[in-house]
Amino acid sequence: MKRLAIIILLVAALACITGCTPGPASTSGDASTSLHEEKVALPAEAMSIEDVRTVGDGSVRAVAVDELHQRAVVYAQEADGAWAASFDADELSATLVEGDQVTARLTPQGELLCVVTSNGAGSSNGSCFLVDADSTVELPCSIENTMSFHVEADGTVVVCESDRFARIDLATGEKVSSARVPNGTYLAEAVLHEGLVYTMASRMSGASMETEFAAHDADTGASVAIDPALQAALEAAVPATNLRGAYRQPLLASGPDGLYVCAQAGVYRCTSAGAQVVLEPTGTHLANENEAPCLLDVSDEGLAIVYRDDGTGSGRMTACRYVAGEAPETSEELVVYALEDSAVVQQAVALFRDEHPEAAVTFELGMPEGSGISADDALRALNADLLAGAGPDVLVLDGLPLQAFKEQGMLRNLSSVLEAALAKDAYYENIVRTFATDEDCFAIPMRCSIPAMMGDTDVLARAETLEELTAYLGSNDETRAMLAFLSPTALYLASRSAIVGEGGAVDAEALASFYDGVRQMLDIAQVSRDDEADAAFGYRSFLLENPLNDGAGIGSLGPALASSDARFAVGLLQDPLDFGMTGIAAANVGYPCACEPLTFDGALAYLPSVVLGVSSGTASPALAEEFVATALERDQQMQVRDAGLPVCASAFEGSLPEGPHAYSVTYMSEDRSTETYGRGELTPEEVAACNSLMASASAACVDDKVVADAIAAGLRAYCMDDMTLDRAVAETVRKIDLYRAE
């Protein structure tokens, strides 16, 4: 059953790559219109932010620790708006020994509560110190769990452990109260509010994450019933979340006028009167799914939120305040438009907005999740706006009819932007020039993905065509068991040049061959899977949810081959880490193993993505072109994981981890035993081979959303037995022909 455990982990991991799950809708005219975002521009050295808090005099302070968690510094905002160091805990740091770590939180009075823990014998775990500008005082209390704690105005601290909370008196060290959460739940937050400690715990339920709220007497820990109306408000703010979408752990905080929850769709004030949206994500860092809110502070002056950047894996942190009143006036507006949500574009918009406070930068979607708007309807609306001169400024052209836009004069020539970028840094010119000619360049891709296969070299040699591959894998029980995972997207990219001609016409025979090949591969994979795993994760239906854009990175499959009896997998090279992770298989299996591009006609296919263009009717051409130029830069190209390979070669190389344990993953078997697989950094020869592969990509796969949806729908219908092969092909061709004729 070792192999089954690996498959479950793979499918569960892949389930978390899609967009955010929508929450309750905002009510028109609510408090969300009265708060605007102000980034807390702390000095560059304040990278790891431990806390941001509005203190008793109404000022806002922040505390940051160094990389070793041995030095803590408090920053305060000065009269000119700049942030500078106010005081530090260097006196305490001087007493620490190797292995000691400091975790710090601000008190309501603006002092610093430092908790020192150690893996050695140099100091007692959980020692507490109160630090201000003049003194460092050791307190008679201990806080062993420093994962989550909050200093309250009454001189107590509420400590949150995984299965319980404890309320401790800082002056005496006595435990005032404590309580456990029910078995099977994980305690995420515990806050003191109006004499009660409210807890927020999470529970897995099938493919969903459910949140449970409870209340306890602050002095005894005894369970107290929550007011039914408040309970309903809390549950409305944090509905059960499907883990197939991006998941954010909600935050809970006490405010002067209710409990506040920061959840998927914004910040809510929860009272017995209901759940009111006080801050919507639009136009703020909340809209960036790459940044996870990790701290929430509420005061009379507004909100403060600290975000951790999960997109790059760097853990970089950003602090923002949300204050009442009119937002600062902006001199320009910039609207970035995409048919569908994109983590890469979210990050680009968030960073560009931070760098250009003089501009109002917004990100609009033609097909918001859950809206029911079709691609055809979204394209018609966009066309109408562009022709009327009222459209967006920057267009994310993925899924849009790029050639038609160019022929109709709707796009600006970006040749100067591209040439300026190439003059400054190293790029994969074959990819970045995908849409460029000698005369012009109306679109520039920021990312790309390459279909790949990995495993036993004997199997790889039998993948010259999809028909040959399926015939070999399906020949007997032993070969069927070789298949670890397949990506319909990778199979499509390798087959697309035969399916869709240059003019957009579909070859029915090639389409039928592709549909039937994917169906046979799914059948082969299904045979080797346990019925229970399929019922729990819906393997076949999961792969067919978005079969031409499944985002199945091949990097996670290297360890899967190393830890199972499988010998072959198909996926996408879509992150620099993939090149090293695939090497884990070769380093840990007992047969010749490699990772090679998947191609069925000799030309190396690639999917250009996050393709940016600028509307010819933009009112802010310079700002729009600067947005594209910024998105091309090395630092921006290094943002966001598993969303495509950067087109900037130096960003690719800069994203590769270093050291003897650069690539590592640990798997847990059903018996709870663990095994770690890994390898060191890529050698110079391997890096050169990666660059050579990127530079050899030659067949760009570009589809309109309408065409891609029609092909995907036909594939899904045939593979799920809703249509015969002939009918699925005929219906797909009919839809595309009608669309082309419009």
Side-chain angles (χ1 to χ4, degrees):
M1 299 302 290
K2 185 178 183 181
R3 185 166 182 269
L4 170 61
I6 297 303
I7 297 302
I8 290 175
L9 284 170
L10 281 173
V11 176
L14 287 169
C16 295
I17 61 177
T18 53
C20 293
T21 303
S26 172
T27 302
S28 178
D30 63 22
S32 64
T33 58
S34 63
L35 297 179
H36 64 272
E37 181 177 85
E38 295 180 354
K39 183 178 178 182
V40 178
L42 295 171
E45 63 269 17
M47 179 178 174
S48 183
I49 303 168
E50 294 272 286
D51 203 3
V52 170
R53 188 161 189 170
T54 304
V55 298
D57 62 1
S59 63
V60 180
R61 297 189 183 184
V63 58
V65 297
D66 66 356
E67 186 176 1
L68 297 177
H69 281 253
Q70 286 207 327
R71 183 172 188 262
V73 180
V74 174
Y75 295 89
Q77 192 172 29
E78 299 181 332
D80 61 358
W83 287 75
S86 176
F87 65 92
D88 56 52
D90 284 357
E91 182 179 341
L92 174 62
S93 298
T95 68
L96 303 182
V97 298
E98 185 177 356
D100 286 353
Q101 289 193 334
V102 173
T103 305
R105 295 291 186 271
L106 288 159
T107 73
Q109 294 75 34
E111 298 171 308
L112 197 57
L113 176 63
C114 294
V115 180
V116 179
T117 57
S118 173
N119 293 323
S123 54
S124 58
N125 277 355
S127 299
C128 297
F129 299 84
L130 195 62
V131 179
D132 61 19
D134 301 316
S135 63
T136 299
V137 178
E138 184 169 5
L139 301 175
C141 63
S142 176
I143 300 176
E144 294 186 6
N145 185 339
T146 59
M147 293 295 292
S148 175
F149 63 96
H150 190 266
V151 186
E152 306 295 342
D154 63 358
T156 64
V157 59
V158 176
V159 181
C160 183
E161 302 181 19
S162 61
D163 64 345
R164 73 182 74 192
F165 78 84
R167 182 168 171 248
I168 301 171
D169 189 317
L170 288 175
T172 64
E174 294 181 358
K175 183 181 292 185
V176 179
S177 62
S178 65
R180 288 182 178 272
V181 294
N183 288 336
T185 63
Y186 174 84
L187 183 59
E189 296 274 7
V191 302
L192 179 64
H193 181 72
E194 296 182 346
L196 298 177
V197 175
Y198 287 86
T199 60
M200 182 175 67
S202 56
R203 177 195 300 274
M204 286 286 295
S205 178
S208 297
M209 181 69 75
E210 297 179 350
T211 302
E212 297 182 0
F213 294 92
H216 304 267
D217 185 280
D219 295 325
T220 66
S223 180
V224 176
I226 301 178
D227 177 271
L230 175 58
Q231 181 83 39
L234 292 168
E235 292 174 355
V238 192
T241 303
N242 189 330
L243 292 180
R244 288 181 182 270
Y247 175 71
R248 280 181 172 174
Q249 176 66 51
L251 303 176
L252 181 66
S254 172
D257 52 357
L259 288 169
Y260 282 70
V261 177
C262 179
Q264 293 285 104
V267 179
Y268 300 80
R269 178 171 60 244
C270 297
T271 67
S272 58
Q276 182 185 32
V277 180
V278 297
L279 181 66
E280 292 181 327
T282 303
T284 75
H285 279 258
L286 277 176
N288 185 1
E289 69 179 53
N290 303 295
E291 294 183 315
C294 55
L295 288 169
L296 171 65
D297 177 64
V298 183
S299 67
D300 290 328
E301 284 71 28
L303 311 174
I305 300 176
V306 175
Y307 301 88
R308 183 185 62 251
D309 187 348
D310 290 338
T312 62
S314 67
R316 179 182 59 84
M317 305 181 84
T318 300
C320 294
R321 294 185 65 205
Y322 301 88
V323 295
E326 293 295 326
E329 290 189 11
T330 54
S331 57
E332 287 187 279
E333 293 184 2
L334 188 74
V335 177
V336 181
Y337 174 97
L339 270 182
E340 298 179 288
D341 207 352
S342 163
V344 175
V345 181
Q346 287 179 13
Q347 185 83 325
V349 168
L351 296 180
F352 194 76
R353 187 188 294 122
D354 288 343
E355 295 172 1
H356 295 270
E358 78 286 355
V361 186
T362 57
F363 182 28
E364 291 185 356
L365 298 178
M367 300 168 57
E369 186 176 358
S371 67
I373 298 174
S374 69
D376 202 22
D377 289 341
L379 288 173
R380 291 178 190 276
L382 176 62
N383 267 313
D385 287 343
L386 291 173
L387 289 171
D393 303 285
V394 177
L395 296 167
V396 181
L397 292 160
D398 300 36
L400 298 179
L402 189 154
Q403 188 62 31
F405 281 4
K406 175 183 174 181
E407 292 172 356
Q408 295 172 31
M410 293 182 176
L411 299 174
R412 287 178 65 85
N413 187 348
L414 299 177
S415 295
S416 60
V417 175
L418 177 57
E419 297 307 323
L422 293 173
K424 290 193 301 183
D425 214 328
Y427 288 80
Y428 301 112
E429 293 202 29
N430 56 312
I431 297 171
V432 80
R433 291 188 184 275
T434 295
F435 306 102
T437 67
D438 292 339
E439 294 78 30
D440 53 45
C441 176
F442 291 92
I444 305 174
M446 304 295 135
R447 294 286 200 279
C448 76
S449 300
I450 297 174
M453 56 182 174
M454 174 179 56
D456 190 324
T457 54
D458 184 51
V459 183
L460 301 187
R462 301 171 186 269
E464 292 189 6
T465 66
L466 181 54
E467 293 82 356
E468 180 184 359
L469 178 61
T470 54
Y472 174 73
L473 290 175
S475 58
N476 56 60
D477 290 344
E478 183 179 349
T479 55
R480 279 190 286 270
M482 289 182 177
L483 182 58
F485 188 82
L486 73 141
S487 161
T489 299
L491 295 177
Y492 175 70
L493 295 180
S495 307
R496 184 192 175 278
S497 61
I499 297 172
V500 184
E502 289 188 8
V506 173
D507 185 309
E509 184 176 346
L511 182 64
S513 179
F514 168 68
Y515 279 0
D516 199 44
V518 174
R519 170 67 180 261
Q520 290 184 56
M521 292 285 280
L522 285 170
D523 290 344
I524 293 167
Q526 196 65 61
V527 170
S528 64
R529 270 158 185 79
D530 183 279
D531 290 340
E532 181 180 352
D534 185 53
F537 293 100
Y539 179 77
R540 182 184 293 260
S541 59
F542 170 74
L543 289 184
L544 294 171
E545 277 187 7
N546 200 356
L548 302 193
N549 190 20
D550 56 37
I554 202 168
S556 63
L557 304 176
L561 292 186
S563 59
S564 73
D565 297 327
R567 298 167 81 100
F568 180 73
V570 174
L572 297 171
L573 288 166
Q574 60 174 14
D575 187 279
L577 293 181
D578 287 344
F579 291 86
M581 293 298 286
T582 56
I584 289 178
N588 290 277
V589 299
Y591 53 85
C593 181
C595 178
E596 298 178 2
L598 180 68
T599 176
F600 295 140
D601 62 4
L604 178 55
Y606 68 98
L607 174 67
S609 58
V610 195
V611 181
L612 299 185
V614 173
S615 167
S616 58
T618 177
S620 304
L623 191 66
E625 291 186 3
E626 186 176 352
F627 180 89
V628 177
T630 302
L632 269 173
E633 290 176 355
R634 179 180 186 273
D635 289 346
Q636 178 63 68
Q637 289 273 302
M638 291 179 67
Q639 304 294 327
V640 188
R641 291 293 188 199
D642 293 325
L645 298 162
V647 298
C648 177
S650 65
F652 172 84
E653 294 186 14
S655 299
L656 297 173
E658 299 177 345
H661 306 290
Y663 302 92
S664 178
V665 66
T666 299
Y667 277 127
M668 178 181 290
S669 299
E670 287 187 337
D671 62 0
R672 299 273 179 185
S673 63
T674 60
E675 194 164 4
T676 299
Y677 302 91
R679 59 154 291 169
E681 64 187 59
L682 297 184
T683 66
E685 293 77 16
E686 288 175 315
V687 174
C690 294
N691 282 322
S692 178
L693 172 65
M694 296 284 289
S696 66
S698 59
C701 301
V702 182
D703 286 323
D704 291 356
K705 174 70 173 169
V706 175
V707 172
D709 282 353
I711 295 175
L715 176 64
R716 191 180 302 111
Y718 172 56
C719 292
M720 297 301 291
D721 291 325
D722 295 329
M723 288 185 184
T724 65
L725 178 59
D726 289 344
R727 184 184 169 197
V729 171
E731 186 67 14
T732 301
V733 173
R734 183 188 67 83
K735 288 180 181 177
I736 294 174
D737 284 347
L738 285 174
Y739 170 65
R740 293 175 61 232
E742 291 181 355

Short mmCIF file of all heavy atoms in Angstrom, two decimals, residues 346-366:
data_model
loop_
_atom_site.label_atom_id
_atom_site.label_comp_id
_atom_site.label_asym_id
_atom_site.label_seq_id
_atom_site.Cartn_x
_atom_site.Cartn_y
_atom_site.Cartn_z
N GLN A 346 -1.66 38.69 -9.76
CA GLN A 346 -1.95 39.23 -8.43
C GLN A 346 -0.69 39.80 -7.79
O GLN A 346 -0.69 40.91 -7.25
CB GLN A 346 -2.52 38.13 -7.53
CG GLN A 346 -3.93 37.70 -7.83
CD GLN A 346 -4.35 36.59 -6.88
OE1 GLN A 346 -3.70 36.33 -5.88
NE2 GLN A 346 -5.45 35.94 -7.21
N GLN A 347 0.39 39.01 -7.85
CA GLN A 347 1.64 39.44 -7.24
C GLN A 347 2.20 40.67 -7.95
O GLN A 347 2.68 41.61 -7.31
CB GLN A 347 2.65 38.29 -7.29
CG GLN A 347 3.96 38.57 -6.57
CD GLN A 347 3.85 38.31 -5.09
OE1 GLN A 347 2.81 38.54 -4.50
NE2 GLN A 347 4.92 37.84 -4.48
N ALA A 348 2.14 40.67 -9.29
CA ALA A 348 2.66 41.80 -10.04
C ALA A 348 1.89 43.08 -9.72
O ALA A 348 2.48 44.15 -9.56
CB ALA A 348 2.60 41.50 -11.54
N VAL A 349 0.57 42.96 -9.62
CA VAL A 349 -0.26 44.12 -9.31
C VAL A 349 0.05 44.62 -7.90
O VAL A 349 0.19 45.84 -7.67
CB VAL A 349 -1.75 43.77 -9.45
CG1 VAL A 349 -2.63 44.88 -8.85
CG2 VAL A 349 -2.11 43.57 -10.92
N ALA A 350 0.16 43.70 -6.94
CA ALA A 350 0.42 44.11 -5.55
C ALA A 350 1.75 44.84 -5.43
O ALA A 350 1.84 45.89 -4.78
CB ALA A 350 0.40 42.88 -4.65
N LEU A 351 2.79 44.30 -6.05
CA LEU A 351 4.11 44.94 -5.96
C LEU A 351 4.15 46.26 -6.72
O LEU A 351 4.77 47.23 -6.27
CB LEU A 351 5.18 43.98 -6.48
CG LEU A 351 5.37 42.70 -5.67
CD1 LEU A 351 6.46 41.83 -6.30
CD2 LEU A 351 5.73 43.01 -4.23
N PHE A 352 3.49 46.31 -7.87
CA PHE A 352 3.48 47.55 -8.65
C PHE A 352 2.71 48.64 -7.90
O PHE A 352 3.10 49.82 -7.91
CB PHE A 352 2.84 47.30 -10.02
CG PHE A 352 3.07 48.42 -11.01
CD1 PHE A 352 4.29 48.56 -11.64
CD2 PHE A 352 2.06 49.31 -11.31
CE1 PHE A 352 4.51 49.58 -12.56
CE2 PHE A 352 2.26 50.34 -12.22
CZ PHE A 352 3.50 50.47 -12.85
N ARG A 353 1.63 48.26 -7.24
CA ARG A 353 0.85 49.23 -6.46
C ARG A 353 1.69 49.79 -5.32
O ARG A 353 1.64 50.99 -5.01
CB ARG A 353 -0.41 48.55 -5.91
CG ARG A 353 -1.37 49.51 -5.22
CD ARG A 353 -2.49 48.75 -4.54
NE ARG A 353 -3.35 48.06 -5.48
CZ ARG A 353 -3.57 46.76 -5.49
NH1 ARG A 353 -2.96 45.98 -4.60
NH2 ARG A 353 -4.39 46.22 -6.36
N ASP A 354 2.49 48.92 -4.67
CA ASP A 354 3.36 49.39 -3.59
C ASP A 354 4.39 50.39 -4.09
O ASP A 354 4.73 51.36 -3.40
CB ASP A 354 4.07 48.20 -2.93
CG ASP A 354 3.14 47.35 -2.09
OD1 ASP A 354 2.04 47.82 -1.75
OD2 ASP A 354 3.52 46.20 -1.78
N GLU A 355 4.92 50.13 -5.29
CA GLU A 355 5.96 50.99 -5.85
C GLU A 355 5.41 52.27 -6.47
O GLU A 355 6.16 53.20 -6.73
CB GLU A 355 6.76 50.21 -6.90
CG GLU A 355 7.54 49.03 -6.32
CD GLU A 355 8.16 48.16 -7.40
OE1 GLU A 355 7.99 48.50 -8.60
OE2 GLU A 355 8.80 47.15 -7.07
N HIS A 356 4.10 52.31 -6.72
CA HIS A 356 3.49 53.48 -7.36
C HIS A 356 2.25 53.94 -6.58
O HIS A 356 1.12 53.82 -7.06
CB HIS A 356 3.11 53.15 -8.81
CG HIS A 356 4.28 52.86 -9.69
ND1 HIS A 356 4.93 53.84 -10.41
CD2 HIS A 356 4.94 51.71 -9.96
CE1 HIS A 356 5.93 53.31 -11.09
NE2 HIS A 356 5.96 52.02 -10.84
N PRO A 357 2.48 54.48 -5.39
CA PRO A 357 1.33 54.94 -4.59
C PRO A 357 0.57 56.09 -5.25
O PRO A 357 -0.58 56.38 -4.87
CB PRO A 357 1.98 55.39 -3.28
CG PRO A 357 3.41 55.68 -3.63
CD PRO A 357 3.76 54.71 -4.71
N GLU A 358 1.19 56.71 -6.25
CA GLU A 358 0.50 57.82 -6.93
C GLU A 358 -0.54 57.32 -7.93
O GLU A 358 -1.33 58.12 -8.45
CB GLU A 358 1.54 58.68 -7.67
CG GLU A 358 2.04 58.14 -9.00
CD GLU A 358 3.02 56.97 -8.90
OE1 GLU A 358 3.39 56.62 -7.76
OE2 GLU A 358 3.41 56.42 -9.94
N ALA A 359 -0.57 56.01 -8.18
CA ALA A 359 -1.48 55.45 -9.17
C ALA A 359 -2.48 54.51 -8.51
O ALA A 359 -2.14 53.77 -7.58
CB ALA A 359 -0.70 54.70 -10.25
N ALA A 360 -3.70 54.54 -8.99
CA ALA A 360 -4.72 53.59 -8.55
C ALA A 360 -4.67 52.39 -9.48
O ALA A 360 -5.09 52.46 -10.63
CB ALA A 360 -6.10 54.25 -8.59
N VAL A 361 -4.12 51.28 -8.98
CA VAL A 361 -3.91 50.08 -9.79
C VAL A 361 -4.93 49.02 -9.38
O VAL A 361 -4.99 48.64 -8.21
CB VAL A 361 -2.49 49.53 -9.63
CG1 VAL A 361 -2.25 48.36 -10.59
CG2 VAL A 361 -1.46 50.62 -9.86
N THR A 362 -5.74 48.56 -10.32
CA THR A 362 -6.74 47.55 -10.02
C THR A 362 -6.60 46.37 -10.98
O THR A 362 -6.09 46.51 -12.08
CB THR A 362 -8.17 48.12 -10.12
OG1 THR A 362 -8.37 48.66 -11.44
CG2 THR A 362 -8.39 49.21 -9.10
N PHE A 363 -7.07 45.23 -10.53
CA PHE A 363 -7.02 43.99 -11.30
C PHE A 363 -8.46 43.53 -11.53
O PHE A 363 -9.18 43.24 -10.57
CB PHE A 363 -6.21 42.94 -10.54
CG PHE A 363 -6.05 41.63 -11.26
CD1 PHE A 363 -6.06 41.54 -12.64
CD2 PHE A 363 -5.86 40.45 -10.54
CE1 PHE A 363 -5.90 40.33 -13.30
CE2 PHE A 363 -5.70 39.25 -11.19
CZ PHE A 363 -5.72 39.18 -12.57
N GLU A 364 -8.88 43.48 -12.79
CA GLU A 364 -10.25 43.10 -13.13
C GLU A 364 -10.27 41.74 -13.83
O GLU A 364 -9.38 41.43 -14.61
CB GLU A 364 -10.89 44.14 -14.05
CG GLU A 364 -11.16 45.47 -13.38
CD GLU A 364 -11.90 46.43 -14.30
OE1 GLU A 364 -12.13 46.07 -15.48
OE2 GLU A 364 -12.23 47.54 -13.85
N LEU A 365 -11.31 40.96 -13.54
CA LEU A 365 -11.47 39.64 -14.15
C LEU A 365 -12.69 39.63 -15.05
O LEU A 365 -13.75 40.13 -14.67
CB LEU A 365 -11.62 38.57 -13.07
CG LEU A 365 -10.45 38.38 -12.12
CD1 LEU A 365 -10.77 37.30 -11.08
CD2 LEU A 365 -9.18 38.02 -12.87
N GLY A 366 -12.52 39.05 -16.22
CA GLY A 366 -13.66 38.91 -17.12
C GLY A 366 -14.58 37.79 -16.71
O GLY A 366 -15.79 37.83 -16.98
#
